[in-house]
């Protein structure tokens, strides 16, 4: 898989050096000069520059940064209140919290003003960074992917080169020996690249996640699906985007004469695609774990006037699967058939 992986480059430390300094604004009501001296000693031990001063009319707490060549300069401004605490927009510290403060300083020195990406919305990307990535992932896949080996299929997606991909060690272990990796089943031509890449990897029990590195570059990390809590989705929920399902897939929901007479599940899905003009993708990982084979599974649905959506829902629910209408990054609709996961009830 080396042909599709990010190539080793110089270390992050060599590419970008970070200088962090703090400024504490004294309280306008009652300045605590003693606390200022105590905090100055703390920062001296951290070897981090600190300036304690009177606030100007336009001063406000926050974290800002500028990059000059290979130097990233981070300026952190906080308020020193009359109780001796230093207060920032999303956190505050007492003199007894030097351990937590040290961890935050280390995070700023490593990742800059945005901080570590873990646990942040949009995978820790800024809105501008996410918008650029999403725009790149909206480009349509032009090449056929079915029957290719995995590496060739990834190359055929023509993913944006400014977002290198990298397999985690666990992802490589999940794939196993290269000569034993089966060919790709789905043809993803016509889909947006983000959704296509997610679908492609899912066949192999993998997913991908945007990762912001300490030098502020962004890679696409390919991981085992169990490694990450929130990966790039296999399509997006149309409801969350304000899209109307009937507008997206009218032929899927309107009532028409429907009959399935002793077809394999695969044949039934092909007929559904033909009648509704909506692509259908099946979660092969789920089928494998449930020991289901759609080529060998025969299904029947009595002739009646109904929608293809209701017909499909009836058939898949019998085998603990569910259908989901999703859209790719260009709002193109498709059906995703995967394992049914009951929603957990909120605690009383």
């Amino acid at each position: 898989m080396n042909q599709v992986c990010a190539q080793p480059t110089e270390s992050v430390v060599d590419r970008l050096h970070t200088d962090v300094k703090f400024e504490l604004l004294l309280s306008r009501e009652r300045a605590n000069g003693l606390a200022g001296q105590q905090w100055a000693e703390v920062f001296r031990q951290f070897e981090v520059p600190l300036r304690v001063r009177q606030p100007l009319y336009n001063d406000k707490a926050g974290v800002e940064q500028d990059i000059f060549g290979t130097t990233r300069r981070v300026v952190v401004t906080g308020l020193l209140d009359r109780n001796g605490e230093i207060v920032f927009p999303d956190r505050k510290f007492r003199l007894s919290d030097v351990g937590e403060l040290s961890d935050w300083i280390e995070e700023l020195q490593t990742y800059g003003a945005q901080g570590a990406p873990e646990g942040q919305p949009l995978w820790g990307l800024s809105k501008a960074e996410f918008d650029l990535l999403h725009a790149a992932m909206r480009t349509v896949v032009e090449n056929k992917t079915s029957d290719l080996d995995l590496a060739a299929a990834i190359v055929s997606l023509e993913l944006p080169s400014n977002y290198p991909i990298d397999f985690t060690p666990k992802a490589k272990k999940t794939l196993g020996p290269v000569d034993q990796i089966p060919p790709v089943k789905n043809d993803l031509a016509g889909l947006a690249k983000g959704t296509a890449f997610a679908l492609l990897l899912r066949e192999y029990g993998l997913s991908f996640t945007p990762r912001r590195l300490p030098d502020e570059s962004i890679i696409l990390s390919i991981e085992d699906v169990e490694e990450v809590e929130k990966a790039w989705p296999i399509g997006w929920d149309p409801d969350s985007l304000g899209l109307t399902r009937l507008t997206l897939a009218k032929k899927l929901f309107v009532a028409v004469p429907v009959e399935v007479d002793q077809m394999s599940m695969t044949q039934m899905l092909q007929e559904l695609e033909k009648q509704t003009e909506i692509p259908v993708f099946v979660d092969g990982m789920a089928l494998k774990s449930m020991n289901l084979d759609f080529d060998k599974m025969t299904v029947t649905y009595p002739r009646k006037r109904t929608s293809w959506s209701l017909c499909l829902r009836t058939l898949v629910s019998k085998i603990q699967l569910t259908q989901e209408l999703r859209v790719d990054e260009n709002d193109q609709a498709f059906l995703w058939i995967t394992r049914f996961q009951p929603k957990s009830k909120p605690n009383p």
Side-chain angles (χ1 to χ4, degrees):
M1 303 299 294
N2 289 338
Q3 62 177 303
V4 297
C5 288
Q7 296 302 310
T9 56
E10 59 183 329
S11 71
V12 169
V13 174
D14 292 336
R15 290 198 299 269
L16 196 62
H17 170 74
T18 303
D19 291 328
V20 177
K21 72 175 184 178
F22 278 70
E23 294 197 351
L24 298 183
L25 309 178
L26 293 168
S27 172
R28 297 179 187 272
E29 299 175 0
R30 192 173 112 195
N32 192 331
L34 176 60
Q37 295 176 20
Q38 293 171 320
W39 281 113
E41 180 58 30
V42 169
F43 280 87
R44 190 175 299 114
Q45 294 176 13
F46 291 155
E47 298 182 347
V48 172
L50 170 68
R51 181 186 177 197
V52 180
R53 62 178 177 82
Q54 295 290 340
L56 302 175
Y57 76 96
N58 60 345
D59 276 332
K60 61 180 180 179
V63 184
E64 298 180 349
Q65 77 172 31
D66 291 297
I67 297 178
F68 304 93
T70 59
T71 300
R72 177 171 54 194
R73 295 176 183 171
V74 178
V75 178
V76 186
T77 304
L79 305 177
L80 176 58
D81 68 16
R82 59 185 180 181
N83 297 319
E85 296 182 346
I86 52 177
V87 182
F88 304 93
D90 60 346
R91 67 195 75 206
K92 63 181 179 179
F93 302 96
R94 298 185 296 268
L95 283 165
S96 58
D97 297 329
V98 292
E100 291 87 343
L101 176 59
S102 176
D103 291 342
W104 187 38
I105 291 173
E106 183 177 352
E107 182 179 323
L108 292 169
Q109 290 171 333
T110 303
Y111 289 98
Q114 288 183 250
E118 287 75 15
Q120 294 191 34
L122 301 178
W123 299 282
L125 308 183
S126 68
K127 184 179 184 303
E129 289 170 334
F130 175 77
D131 288 346
L132 285 173
L133 174 59
H134 188 271
M137 288 300 186
R138 289 183 62 187
T139 310
V140 174
V141 175
E142 297 182 355
N143 303 312
K144 180 181 176 181
T145 57
S146 56
D147 300 323
L148 297 178
D149 64 58
L150 177 57
I154 293 176
V155 172
S156 74
L157 294 183
E158 298 181 340
L159 297 170
S161 59
N162 51 328
Y163 299 106
I165 70 173
D166 183 63
F167 286 78
T168 66
K170 188 173 181 180
K172 293 179 181 179
K173 184 176 180 180
T174 298
L175 281 173
V178 173
D179 59 356
Q180 296 180 23
I181 301 174
V184 174
K185 293 182 179 179
N186 288 320
D187 183 13
L188 304 169
L191 282 175
K193 292 183 179 181
T195 294
F197 195 23
L199 278 166
L200 174 65
L201 295 175
R202 181 72 179 188
E203 290 190 35
Y204 302 91
L206 304 176
S207 60
F208 82 93
T209 305
R211 294 286 186 192
R212 174 170 51 82
L213 301 183
D215 68 347
E216 305 201 7
S217 63
I218 298 169
I219 66 169
L220 306 180
S221 178
I222 299 181
E223 301 155 325
D224 182 280
V225 293
E226 302 297 332
E227 278 188 277
V228 60
E229 185 175 335
K230 185 178 181 181
W232 192 274
I234 297 175
W236 306 77
D237 178 9
D239 293 337
S240 67
L241 301 174
L243 301 174
T244 305
R245 293 168 181 267
L246 189 60
T247 302
L248 289 169
K250 183 176 181 180
K251 291 185 177 181
L252 182 66
F253 297 109
V254 297
V256 294
V258 174
E259 181 181 15
V260 178
D261 184 16
Q262 293 293 308
M263 294 183 181
S264 71
M265 194 67 177
T266 299
Q267 290 172 327
M268 182 269 173
L269 293 178
Q270 291 170 345
E271 181 65 17
L272 183 149
E273 286 185 316
K274 177 182 176 181
Q275 296 297 328
T276 66
E277 301 176 359
I278 298 295
V280 179
F281 297 98
V282 178
D283 187 351
M285 178 182 169
L287 296 193
K288 183 177 180 180
S289 68
M290 300 169 73
N291 197 28
L292 297 175
D293 187 340
F294 276 9
D295 290 337
K296 299 178 180 179
M297 183 180 300
T298 302
V299 292
T300 298
Y301 190 82
R303 181 176 178 83
K304 65 171 69 174
R305 187 172 182 83
T306 186
S307 69
W308 279 100
S309 175
L310 287 174
C311 170
L312 178 60
R313 188 178 303 278
T314 299
L315 294 176
V316 299
S317 64
K318 293 179 180 179
I319 48 177
Q320 286 76 55
L321 297 175
T322 187
Q323 61 166 6
E324 299 176 7
L325 184 68
R326 313 288 286 174
V327 294
D328 69 4
E329 288 73 20
N330 290 315
D331 297 341
Q332 175 181 318
F334 66 94
L335 276 172
W336 173 236
I337 298 177
T338 187
R339 182 193 291 267
F340 173 73
Q341 298 286 358
K343 295 182 179 180
S344 56
K345 295 182 179 179
N347 293 326

